[in-house]
Amino acid sequence: MAHDPALAQDLWRLMMQSAMSQVGRASSILQQLGLTPGHMKAILSLRPGEPRPIGTLAQGFGCDASTMTWLVDRLEERGLVERRPDKTDRRVKAVALTPQGVRMKKKLEARMFEVPESIAGLKPDVLEQVRDALALAMSRAAENSSMASAAH
Amino acid sequence: MAHDPALAQDLWRLMMQSAMSQVGRASSILQQLGLTPGHMKAILSLRPGEPRPIGTLAQGFGCDASTMTWLVDRLEERGLVERRPDKTDRRVKAVALTPQGVRMKKKLEARMFEVPESIAGLKPDVLEQVRDALALAMSRAAENSSMASAAH
DNA sequence: TATTGTTATACTCTATAACTATA
DNA sequence: TATAGTTATAGAGTATAACAATA
């Protein structure tokens, strides 16, 4: 149950605001690297030396197989991934990062997960408090949403 | 300067994670209401009794005037807004929420800004700490980004 | 016969350029 | 001549349905 509606409302507004600003930040990074959101999602979900079939990727994206075919075409044009035949089942095409794709993944992650000075500069005790409280809130939110999807 | 890189990194990861989950939550609410992100942005930026010209809306959206014409067409089809001629300058068309649009705005805001139980249930002192630290981080981030855009 | 991935096609959202009607 | 909005057109991204190759 709620202890102080106004306080919780303030915090929630701030969390939404920070979410929005991080979306903006991400899209600016992508623009600088010449990538689309689709490129990013694919590059981040592929790991060097771990090719994944088109169907598996599509499932992870929550999109259609034909959409993934289209996206992989775009990534291949850019030289970031390549299709590899599967030894045991010749119907499946595994998507693998090229060396260039691996370099782009590193560059992207470095920019994406770089801690802004505004965060890094906070005092350790403040950092710790926010981290712990946010972690708590997130874990409770995860419980709720999993309950919601289970009920669905 | 950074005090404890690992701590800051943890927090930043949590903030990104929470941002992503809030984007997902928002898109699920929109789906339930049968709205697109464009509908949402327009409805939230219009206030009952305060019609706004197409050009002004486009500027606020950071999009083209023709794109806004298209979006207003979609909103009019749904009966959520209407175009009104301007008395003093007959070139401008002011976009106003219809009564149905006002109802949809209220429904959307109620769902969108509703504080999840996972947040509302936190102890007041925790709420206060997170709010203050997040507010501090956000205001510093705002300074940095305005400096960045000024340099651009 | 069922499954993986592709192709053909269509729809949404976005932008640019040409146009209209006002100013 | 300049401005507010529209229309014509094109491109990116998404989905559905029909199809090919393989299981």
Side-chain angles (χ1 to χ4, degrees):
Chain A
M1 288 303 125
H3 299 280
D4 183 342
L7 205 52
Q9 190 81 57
D10 277 1
L11 172 56
W12 182 239
R13 190 178 40 70
L14 276 169
M15 287 177 73
M16 300 270 287
Q17 199 177 327
S18 115
M20 291 304 112
S21 75
Q22 281 162 51
V23 169
R25 180 176 176 273
S27 101
S28 137
I29 291 172
L30 289 181
Q31 200 173 1
Q32 286 165 34
L33 294 176
L35 299 175
T36 66
H39 289 140
M40 175 193 72
K41 217 174 162 185
I43 289 174
L44 292 182
S45 72
L46 285 171
R47 293 165 51 142
E50 293 182 19
R52 305 179 63 198
I54 301 258
T56 307
L57 285 171
Q59 203 172 353
F61 273 50
C63 79
D64 198 71
S66 68
T67 303
M68 188 53 63
T69 291
W70 177 87
L71 179 55
V72 171
D73 285 346
R74 302 290 79 70
L75 288 159
E76 261 193 335
E77 284 170 2
R78 292 281 307 266
L80 298 170
V81 307
E82 62 184 8
R83 286 174 166 88
R84 288 183 194 164
D86 186 294
K87 305 287 180 193
T88 64
D89 186 341
R90 292 196 307 181
R91 288 173 307 177
V92 346
K93 311 285 177 58
V95 180
L97 287 169
T98 60
Q100 194 186 337
V102 174
R103 284 196 297 276
M104 181 62 93
K105 181 182 169 75
K106 282 183 185 150
K107 210 184 301 182
L108 178 59
E109 285 180 335
R111 295 290 312 277
M112 219 68 178
F113 300 146
E114 184 188 0
V115 182
E117 193 56 34
S118 61
I119 303 293
L122 294 173
K123 290 200 198 109
D125 61 328
V126 175
L127 276 178
E128 207 164 343
Q129 283 166 9
V130 185
R131 183 202 57 186
D132 294 346
L134 207 51
L136 181 60
M138 292 288 296
S139 67
R140 289 200 194 166
E143 282 163 27
N144 289 349
S145 72
S146 63
M147 278 162 58
S149 53
H152 189 277
Chain B
M1 289 301 126
H3 299 279
D4 183 343
L7 205 53
Q9 190 80 57
D10 278 0
L11 173 56
W12 181 238
R13 190 178 41 70
L14 276 169
M15 286 177 74
M16 301 271 288
Q17 198 178 327
S18 114
M20 291 305 112
S21 76
Q22 280 162 51
V23 168
R25 179 176 177 271
S27 102
S28 137
I29 291 171
L30 289 181
Q31 200 174 1
Q32 287 165 33
L33 294 175
L35 298 176
T36 66
H39 289 139
M40 175 192 71
K41 217 173 162 186
I43 289 174
L44 292 182
S45 71
L46 285 171
R47 293 166 50 142
E50 293 182 20
R52 303 180 66 196
I54 300 258
T56 307
L57 284 171
Q59 203 172 353
F61 273 50
C63 79
D64 198 72
S66 68
T67 303
M68 188 52 63
T69 291
W70 177 86
L71 178 55
V72 171
D73 284 347
R74 301 290 79 71
L75 287 159
E76 262 194 336
E77 284 171 3
R78 294 281 307 267
L80 298 170
V81 306
E82 62 183 8
R83 287 174 165 88
R84 288 183 193 163
D86 186 294
K87 305 289 180 192
T88 64
D89 185 340
R90 292 196 307 181
R91 287 173 307 178
V92 345
K93 311 284 178 57
V95 180
L97 288 169
T98 60
Q100 193 186 337
V102 174
R103 284 195 298 275
M104 181 62 92
K105 181 183 168 76
K106 281 181 187 153
K107 210 184 301 182
L108 178 59
E109 285 180 334
R111 296 290 313 275
M112 218 71 178
F113 301 146
E114 183 189 1
V115 181
E117 194 56 33
S118 61
I119 303 294
L122 294 172
K123 290 201 199 108
D125 60 328
V126 175
L127 274 178
E128 207 165 342
Q129 282 167 9
V130 185
R131 183 202 58 186
D132 293 346
L134 206 51
L136 181 60
M138 291 288 296
S139 67
R140 290 201 194 164
E143 282 164 26
N144 291 349
S145 72
S146 64
M147 279 161 57
S149 54
H152 189 276

